[in-house]
Amino acid sequence: MTKQNVSGPKSGVNPAMFATAVTKAPLLGSCINDITSKSTFVEMTGGPRIIKSWVDSMRASSPTHDYMSTTLYEDRTSWMVHHPSAVDMFEDITSASKGKKIVMFLDYDGTLSPIVDDPDQAFMSDAMRGTVKNLARYFPTAIVSGRCRDKVYNFVQLAELYYAGSHGMDIEGPSKGSKYYKKGAQTVLFQPANEFLPMINKVYKELLDKTKSAEGVIVENNKFCVSVHFRCVDDKKWGELAQEVRSVLKEYPKLILSQGRKVLEIRPIIKWDKGKAIEFLLQSLGYAKCDDVFPIYIGDDRTDEDAFKVLSKRGQGLGILVSKVPKDTHASYSLQEPCEVMKFLQRLVEWKRLSLRRRSKIQKQLEEIKTSLKY
Ligand SMILES: [Mg+2]
């Protein structure tokens, strides 16, 4: 029996709100109709060789256990020298952030939640949610995901965070009531690919139809991009499925394709990605040209490399790749899986809490000295 899963954006987003509240990123320049960076994208033209290249690239970023335990695992020790564990190097990281304002950027799937067969079941644990909630009490925190914004919000359910969905093409600031919500300020909201919405919906329907005979495929509408998940598809059929995707996409020259962990993603051909999204958010937070900001980005996928590159180029903060296996990355540090991410975030919260307590104690002592000198 053929199984095809459909996953669409959940309701709850008010389109009228976007029409009135969308803001532009004035310092980032025009992005519409500008061909995006090729680094995480694949060519749409070409024959079987291109299809094989897509499939090989997806396999490389989604290694199986057997592959992991042989070829790549042997390289792990040398790779860890260049990308040490962020937990092991915690003191070095906090020392580098001294005197600077830490801003946290977190990918969702594979970073805060485990990778699961059904993307609709990628729930984060209550412990992780509590950790992220604590994190946001001390640092501005944003979730940057390929998912549509309302879907990732439904998973995380924390109003105090910034959310950048659809690979940063759909950004919203914290809700009213959170400590980062500024009364009277314009809501941070940015949708650089708004004009592509009808096209994305059309291609989503065509992909559903075209791939309906492929067993296990999941086509997910992420509002400003569409994901075709290969996770439950027999890997002998990956080439065939990639060919079906290509046959739909070749009719849409304004859309481009990228690949991630067992997923092909279709998105508008604009110069906008997770890297641009974090630049926009830093600018919105007032840190566009500040030397005293220390952004930390944690992610597990190829699309997160755009964010790692931005931090590396700015010479500010650091990137942490979540991976059990060595990968080419612009991140400086690594963590193996979401439970290690949680451990790192918990230590960050504890470190900040102790720093504030120590500072408060010193201030109190100084005040006591001042008072005693008066008499
Ligand atoms: Mg991810």
Side-chain angles (χ1 to χ4, degrees), residues 107-111 115 274 299-301 304:
D107 168 49
Y108 182 73
D109 292 274
T111 298
I115 297 287
K274 287 183 172 182
D300 73 317
D301 212 342
D304 298 309

Side-chain angles (χ1 to χ4, degrees), residues 11-282:
S11 59
V13 177
N14 177 1
M17 179 175 74
F18 294 122
T20 55
V22 168
T23 60
K24 295 285 179 191
L27 299 179
L28 299 177
S30 170
C31 57
I32 305 296
N33 299 327
D34 195 355
I35 294 176
T36 190
S37 154
K38 294 282 181 194
S39 59
T40 54
F41 295 88
V42 291
E43 294 290 344
M44 297 292 291
T45 54
R49 219 175 62 182
I50 292 299
I51 300 294
K52 185 176 181 305
S53 149
W54 293 1
V55 170
D56 288 348
S57 188
M58 267 200 300
R59 283 208 174 95
S61 61
S62 324
T64 63
H65 179 73
D66 288 346
Y67 184 47
M68 186 180 85
S69 61
T70 54
T71 321
L72 289 173
Y73 194 78
E74 286 163 15
D75 295 327
R76 182 160 181 82
T77 307
S78 56
W79 186 78
M80 287 295 288
V81 172
H82 300 286
H83 308 285
S85 160
V87 171
D88 292 347
M89 303 300 286
F90 186 77
E91 279 78 17
D92 286 40
I93 292 172
T94 48
S95 169
S97 75
K98 203 170 179 183
K100 296 176 181 173
K101 178 82 176 169
I102 292 177
V103 181
M104 295 299 302
F105 296 100
L106 306 167
D107 168 49
Y108 182 73
D109 292 274
T111 298
L112 298 181
S113 73
I115 297 287
V116 293
D117 286 345
D118 181 352
D120 282 343
Q121 302 296 313
F123 302 112
M124 70 195 289
S125 66
D126 287 342
M128 181 66 94
R129 183 173 296 102
T131 302
V132 176
K133 189 175 178 61
N134 283 335
L135 188 75
R137 288 169 67 182
Y138 296 106
F139 313 105
T141 302
I143 306 291
V144 186
S145 172
R147 304 275 200 145
C148 77
R149 179 168 53 83
D150 51 336
K151 188 177 277 185
V152 81
Y153 180 88
N154 285 340
F155 279 130
V156 179
Q157 295 177 25
L158 294 173
E160 52 270 60
L161 309 184
Y162 290 81
Y163 289 87
S166 306
H167 297 288
M169 287 184 281
D170 191 6
I171 300 177
E172 189 177 37
S175 307
K176 206 171 177 178
S178 96
K179 85 184 243 195
Y180 298 113
Y181 176 81
K182 291 174 187 167
K183 197 177 175 187
Q186 190 176 22
T187 309
V188 177
L189 194 57
F190 188 50
Q191 295 180 315
N194 223 3
E195 66 183 77
F196 288 89
L197 269 181
M199 191 186 289
I200 290 288
N201 284 328
K202 190 162 177 266
V203 84
Y204 167 64
K205 285 175 189 158
E206 284 181 32
L207 281 166
L208 274 182
D209 185 56
K210 199 77 177 180
T211 63
K212 65 186 174 193
S213 59
E215 187 154 353
V217 67
I218 299 173
V219 183
E220 183 178 23
N221 186 345
N222 284 317
K223 192 165 181 173
F224 292 101
C225 54
V226 179
S227 303
V228 181
H229 296 275
F230 285 57
R231 195 160 300 281
C232 299
V233 177
D234 180 346
D235 69 354
K236 292 184 191 73
K237 302 278 185 184
W238 281 18
E240 207 176 293
L241 180 57
Q243 178 60 49
E244 296 288 8
V245 173
R246 179 176 171 268
S247 71
V248 173
L249 265 288
K250 69 182 181 185
E251 306 300 325
Y252 294 88
K254 288 188 173 181
L255 298 180
I256 199 163
L257 190 136
S258 65
Q259 82 274 70
R261 293 176 71 180
K262 298 186 183 178
V263 65
L264 286 178
E265 296 191 305
I266 294 95
R267 61 170 97 174
I269 189 166
I270 63 169
K271 195 173 182 177
W272 197 264
D273 51 39
K274 287 183 172 182
K276 291 286 180 190
I278 67 167
E279 285 187 315
F280 175 82
L281 283 164
L282 286 170

